[in-house]
Amino acid sequence: MSTDKIIRAWKDEEYRSSLSESELAALPLSPAGTIELSDSEMDQVAGGTLSHWLSCLPYCFNTLVGPIDCFPDV
């Protein structure tokens, strides 16, 4: 199935309901697609964990420049 048809199927419910069973089966499970991470890549993921916060503390409270907002989006 072409990328254009996949996008249209995820955006247009009426179009999606007109697809055959085989076309529906060809749609990805997520409109964003899927990715695979290796074990070594997963070992590098630390966002949102305590180790992530602790590793940033020296940068957040640098005595030379004062407190820094390390996590402006949190």
Side-chain angles (χ1 to χ4, degrees):
M1 181 177 284
S2 73
T3 303
D4 291 341
K5 287 185 177 184
I6 292 171
I7 292 169
R8 183 174 178 199
W10 277 102
K11 288 184 171 186
D12 184 345
E13 186 177 346
E14 187 175 330
Y15 173 73
R16 188 171 55 250
S17 65
S18 74
L19 297 176
S20 68
E21 284 186 35
S22 62
E23 289 172 318
L24 287 171
L27 285 176
L29 295 177
S30 166
T34 58
I35 60 167
E36 296 286 330
L37 296 177
S38 68
D39 288 341
S40 63
E41 290 171 318
M42 286 299 291
D43 288 341
Q44 309 250 341
V45 176
T49 65
L50 182 58
S51 63
H52 176 74
W53 289 85
L54 293 176
S55 67
C56 183
L57 285 177
Y59 302 104
C60 294
F61 299 102
N62 184 323
T63 57
L64 296 176
V65 295
I68 300 170
D69 189 3
C70 288
F71 307 101
D73 297 332
V74 177

